[in-house]
Amino acid sequence: MEVKGRWWNGNWGRIARRDIWLLSDGHRWRVRGRLGGDGGREVAYEFDDEQQARAMVNRMMETSAGAWRDLTEALRQEAQRLRAD
């Protein structure tokens, strides 16, 4: 599945950190959420369309503390830079 969106709540540490990914294979959409950084607890939800998946991303951000940061474009640029090298 290809990453279509990536967000981080701006907090470091196993207790406070939250991460969200929006992924798609072109037909199905998946939202992954992780509590606590690498090795933390993860949840995943599957959806038939992008609108439902993005609504879940928004709900997850609204119910979790932090100054959410959209990392999608930064990660896309980094991937392009690495491919060019």
Side-chain angles (χ1 to χ4, degrees):
M1 291 196 125
E2 181 182 345
V3 176
K4 300 293 187 176
R6 172 74 167 80
W7 297 266
W8 168 50
N9 72 342
N11 293 321
W12 296 96
R14 292 182 30 134
I15 295 175
R17 184 178 179 123
R18 306 284 189 275
D19 296 278
I20 300 172
W21 292 264
L22 176 64
L23 307 115
S24 179
D25 64 3
H27 302 287
R28 299 279 299 159
W29 290 83
R30 178 180 294 160
V31 176
R32 281 183 44 220
R34 183 170 60 202
L35 166 64
D38 289 341
R41 189 176 52 148
E42 290 197 20
V43 295
Y45 304 95
E46 297 275 338
F47 299 94
D48 292 325
D49 64 54
E50 182 179 2
Q51 183 178 358
Q52 292 175 325
R54 287 192 180 274
M56 175 57 79
V57 167
N58 290 334
R59 279 194 299 273
M60 291 171 78
M61 286 191 284
E62 289 170 1
T63 59
S64 295
W68 285 93
R69 299 170 187 185
D70 187 341
L71 305 177
T72 308
E73 186 58 32
L75 293 175
R76 189 172 292 131
Q77 289 176 7
E78 179 67 7
Q80 288 175 346
R81 186 188 67 75
L82 290 173
R83 281 193 294 270
D85 287 345

